[in-house]
């Protein structure tokens, strides 16, 4: 599912940030978090193969920062592992 990385980058670029928090927004936030968490495991392998992905990396980082407040502790552990793989891929 490497397309999850590109999909997250595209959707995060075209969707404006939400300024208010309502009960409905919490459902949307969880859906965004799911998209972001699906994208990160593929980031390191895509960086090695596709130089065009660099435009999505800052967008994914910003989206992660915006939505990580709703993450569970186990979800954050997986996220840290996946994000740590990106600098290693850049070094290769």
């Amino acid at each position: 599912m490497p397309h999850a990385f590109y999909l997250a980058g595209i959707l995060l670029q075209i969707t404006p940030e939400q300024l208010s928090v309502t009960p409905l927004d919490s459902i949307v936030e969880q859906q965004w978090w799911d998209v972001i968490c699906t994208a990160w495991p593929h980031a390191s392998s895509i960086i090695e193969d596709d130089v065009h992905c660099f435009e999505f990396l800052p967008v994914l980082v910003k989206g992660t920062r915006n939505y990580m407040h709703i993450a569970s502790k186990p979800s954050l552990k997986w996220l840290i592992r996946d994000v740590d793989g990106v600098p290693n891929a850049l070094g290769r």
Side-chain angles (χ1 to χ4, degrees):
M1 287 186 38
H3 62 278
F5 177 83
Y6 294 105
L7 184 61
I10 292 167
L11 291 174
L12 286 167
Q13 282 184 327
I14 63 172
T15 305
E17 288 186 39
Q18 296 179 359
L19 301 176
S20 65
V21 177
T22 65
L24 183 59
D25 289 341
S26 65
I27 294 170
V28 173
E29 283 184 341
Q30 183 61 51
Q31 290 171 334
W32 273 117
W33 184 248
D34 293 343
V35 168
I36 290 166
C37 286
T38 304
W40 275 110
H42 305 288
S44 59
S45 62
I46 290 172
I47 286 172
E48 290 177 346
D49 298 333
D50 187 0
V51 82
H52 300 291
C53 75
F54 285 107
E55 68 186 76
F56 291 133
L57 196 54
V59 175
L60 186 57
V61 168
K62 184 178 179 188
T64 303
R65 187 179 62 226
N66 289 343
Y67 293 102
M68 68 188 299
H69 68 277
I70 65 164
S72 65
K73 286 185 182 184
S75 178
L76 287 174
K77 282 185 174 183
W78 284 104
L79 176 70
I80 290 168
R81 180 196 58 135
D82 294 332
V83 172
D84 281 347
V86 173
N88 295 333
L90 289 171
R92 288 182 242 150

